[in-house]
Amino acid sequence: MADSCLFCKIIQGKIPAQKVYEDEHVLAFHDIHPQAPTHVLVIPKTHWATLDDVTPDDKNLLGHLLERTAHVARMLALGNAGYRTIINTKSHGGQEVFHIHIHILGGRPLGRMVV
Ligand code: 5GP
Ligand code: ZN
């Protein structure tokens, strides 16, 4: 855990969040500024600042994070129509919160991805 990290504070319950899924290793909660009808963030309970910080030792937890992301999307009834997942990394990636997170966006057609 990182003391100054917003998402670590959410994991610790110091900042409230609208949780949709939690287990020993990951937490999913609604984004505070949704960009689609459904916009959920899935985070590991381990503090990795960015995708650039993961190492081969993190493969199991990363796999769990991605598999649980699909599970959460199905829980939110996004599985059939589909959805978009995004990981923003560092400044060129537009990352604002430096605790790795997977965005799940869905609930309407999102069109072709534009950059
Ligand atoms: P990033 O740009 O780092 O990929 O995405 C960070 C996301 O975190 C943004 O979509 C933003 O709306 C969301 N966010 C920022 N602060 C909070 C917060 O306090 N609570 C929740 N639930 N989401 C937040
Ligand atoms: Zn953190």
Side-chain angles (χ1 to χ4, degrees), residues 1-2 5-9 11 44 46-48 98-100:
M1 293 289 172
C5 171
L6 177 67
F7 288 173
C8 282
K9 287 180 183 161
I11 291 164
T46 300
H47 179 88
W48 296 316
F98 283 78
H99 180 126
I100 192 171

Side-chain angles (χ1 to χ4, degrees), residues 91-105:
S91 67
H92 281 196
Q95 185 175 3
E96 291 180 350
V97 177
F98 283 78
H99 180 126
I100 192 171
H101 49 282
I102 302 180
H103 295 257
I104 301 175
L105 296 146

Side-chain angles (χ1 to χ4, degrees), residues 6-7 10 15-18 29-35 39 41 87-88 93-98 101 103:
L6 177 67
F7 288 173
I10 287 178
I15 291 176
Q18 202 183 338
F29 53 94
H30 287 280
D31 195 290
I32 204 164
H33 294 126
Q35 305 295 312
H39 186 173
L41 304 173
I87 302 174
N88 295 322
Q95 185 175 3
E96 291 180 350
V97 177
F98 283 78
H101 49 282
H103 295 257

Side-chain angles (χ1 to χ4, degrees), residues 66-80 83 104:
L66 192 55
E67 187 279 330
R68 289 292 88 183
T69 296
H71 173 78
V72 168
R74 283 191 293 270
M75 274 178 51
L76 297 168
L78 300 176
N80 284 340
Y83 52 91
I104 301 175

